[in-house]
Amino acid sequence: MKHLIPAMLLFTVAAIAGPAVPIQALDETRLLPVVTHNLHPGQQPRLALNLPGMTPLFLIGDDPLSTEWLHQHRDALRTLHATGLVVNVATLARLNVLRAIAPALTLLPVSADDMAKHLPITAYPVLITDKGLEQ
């Protein structure tokens, strides 16, 4: 005997989940400004970590140090398939300036306050891999 899901349940799940919306279709201006209170531009000590399965991430802001770091490291970041989190940026125009520096990379506006609570990060720019933190 086949198990049938009542039509009302399917309707409810669809209503809760909503239609799938591609990330590119989101209005990013609603996510801005992004402010991370627990991090600042500066020197981040290198630190060995053991994070098996960690996808490479990097944290940057809209500041001269981060901009220069992104210029210098964009090819290595692309090779790693690293995703960038822009942790301090005020406007979509400034976010797009960063994206223009490294068009092959994904840069997402996201506060990193929670991440800073769980990882020993105090400053950015920083690369986070399964092996540790480095600038």
Side-chain angles (χ1 to χ4, degrees), residues 33-45:
V34 170
V35 177
T36 299
H37 300 284
N38 298 329
L39 298 176
H40 58 84
Q43 296 301 311
Q44 172 63 49

Side-chain angles (χ1 to χ4, degrees), residues 10-34:
L10 288 175
F11 173 77
T12 304
V13 170
I16 292 170
V21 177
I23 290 174
Q24 296 80 8
L26 293 175
D27 180 8
E28 287 184 320
T29 58
R30 293 172 39 185
L31 303 174
L32 299 167
V34 170

Side-chain angles (χ1 to χ4, degrees), residues 2-87:
K2 289 185 177 180
H3 295 287
L4 299 176
I5 299 173
M8 183 57 108
L9 181 59
L10 288 175
F11 173 77
T12 304
V13 170
I16 292 170
V21 177
I23 290 174
Q24 296 80 8
L26 293 175
D27 180 8
E28 287 184 320
T29 58
R30 293 172 39 185
L31 303 174
L32 299 167
V34 170
V35 177
T36 299
H37 300 284
N38 298 329
L39 298 176
H40 58 84
Q43 296 301 311
Q44 172 63 49
R46 178 175 274 208
L47 179 65
L49 297 171
N50 184 19
L51 302 170
M54 170 76 180
T55 301
L57 294 173
F58 61 95
L59 309 182
I60 61 172
D62 178 26
D63 59 89
L65 180 62
S66 293
T67 302
E68 182 59 30
W69 186 87
L70 185 59
H71 271 290
Q72 291 177 0
H73 295 89
R74 63 185 164 198
D75 293 335
L77 295 168
R78 185 180 64 230
T79 300
L80 288 171
H81 302 287
T83 298
L85 305 181
V86 184
V87 299

Side-chain angles (χ1 to χ4, degrees), residues 71-131:
H71 271 290
Q72 291 177 0
H73 295 89
R74 63 185 164 198
D75 293 335
L77 295 168
R78 185 180 64 230
T79 300
L80 288 171
H81 302 287
T83 298
L85 305 181
V86 184
V87 299
N88 277 307
V89 62
T91 67
L92 184 57
R94 295 303 306 160
L95 178 61
N96 286 334
V97 166
L98 294 169
R99 287 176 171 160
I101 294 169
L105 296 173
T106 299
L107 298 180
L108 304 169
V110 177
S111 174
D113 281 327
D114 284 339
M115 186 180 296
K117 289 177 187 175
H118 299 287
L119 290 174
I121 303 170
T122 58
Y124 59 84
V126 64
L127 172 63
I128 308 166
T129 67
D130 59 342
K131 297 185 180 17

